[in-house]
Amino acid sequence: MQVFDFDGTIYDGDSTVDFYKFALRKCPACAFALPTQAAAATLYIAKRISLDQFKGRFYTFLQRIDNTDALVAQFWDSHWHKIKKEVVSLIKPGDVVASASPEFLLRPACKRLGVGLIASKVDSNTGKLLGPNCRDKQKAQRLREAGLEGKIEVFYTDSSADEACIAMSDRGVLVCGRKLSDYSLSSS
């Protein structure tokens, strides 16, 4: 089986950032979260709060959306062109996406792509993180918990943050834009 990171790997960009911008355009009331988000960003940059704490405050904009599922569906209809065909063509039945982006956001895209999903659990109504952010070593831990250790033939990523996942795979592939190359842990 193969595992794919999502943002920067399958999706050209950061789907969470793009969804946030989309939500601001479609639901201007989301802007009421800006003071909370700015304060959280300042604290995170100053290393006073963790990434999980920052994300928990960032996602408060979701409280202003009446129907998050409908907005997510609209988002994918308008942003599907950002899915990299070169990478998607490599997907096989049984493959999985492992991402730090919210599960509620990626679920429709992964269903369309025909892949399983391991992602950050975020309440789509409140923005509350329902578990640790699925990034770095936590992503590798989630893959282990799903029983995938020793079963991953190839891990595709655009980031050195996924080295723990590559280490538990037979092979790593670096996705840089639309180019793919072998990822060597010793060279990073």
Side-chain angles (χ1 to χ4, degrees):
M1 81 166 323
Q2 304 179 109
V3 178
F4 295 81
D5 176 46
F6 193 79
D7 295 318
T9 302
I10 289 177
Y11 183 82
D12 188 11
D14 185 318
S15 60
T16 302
V17 171
D18 287 353
F19 177 69
Y20 175 62
K21 292 175 188 175
F22 183 80
L24 284 171
R25 285 192 310 274
K26 296 290 185 175
C27 182
C30 289
F32 287 113
L34 283 170
T36 298
Q37 293 167 324
T42 301
L43 291 171
Y44 176 69
I45 291 166
K47 300 186 186 308
R48 306 261 329 262
I49 62 173
S50 68
L51 179 61
D52 285 10
Q53 291 170 315
F54 165 72
K55 284 198 167 190
R57 294 175 190 177
F58 172 78
Y59 290 132
T60 58
F61 78 94
L62 294 167
Q63 296 170 9
R64 303 292 181 158
I65 301 171
D66 291 332
N67 186 338
T68 306
D69 291 340
L71 193 63
V72 167
Q74 289 175 32
F75 170 77
W76 285 117
D77 287 343
S78 70
H79 284 71
W80 196 253
H81 67 279
K82 293 187 78 172
I83 297 292
K84 298 178 184 180
K85 294 177 183 82
E86 300 83 355
V87 178
V88 170
S89 69
L90 303 170
I91 292 175
K92 301 176 203 164
D95 287 347
V96 173
V97 161
S99 176
S101 287
E103 190 176 82
F104 75 85
L105 177 60
L106 299 189
R107 191 178 307 115
C110 288
K111 184 176 180 181
R112 215 186 258 193
L113 293 169
V115 295
L117 176 62
I118 295 172
S120 297
K121 296 183 183 298
V122 177
D123 185 306
S124 63
N125 296 311
T126 65
K128 182 179 180 188
L129 267 70
L130 303 175
N133 188 38
C134 186
R135 186 176 193 279
D136 295 333
K137 292 178 181 164
Q138 179 60 36
K139 187 185 288 188
Q141 178 62 33
R142 294 279 306 277
L143 290 169
R144 280 188 208 88
E145 290 169 2
L148 300 181
E149 188 168 24
K151 298 179 182 176
I152 304 169
E153 296 167 35
V154 185
F155 190 95
Y156 295 87
T157 185
D158 69 314
S159 172
S160 62
D162 286 326
E163 286 191 351
C165 298
I166 293 166
M168 59 190 287
S169 306
D170 295 340
R171 179 174 161 235
V173 173
L174 180 64
V175 179
C176 186
R178 285 170 162 61
K179 291 183 179 180
L180 284 71
S181 59
D182 282 334
Y183 190 108
S184 174
L185 290 173
S186 60
S187 67
S188 47

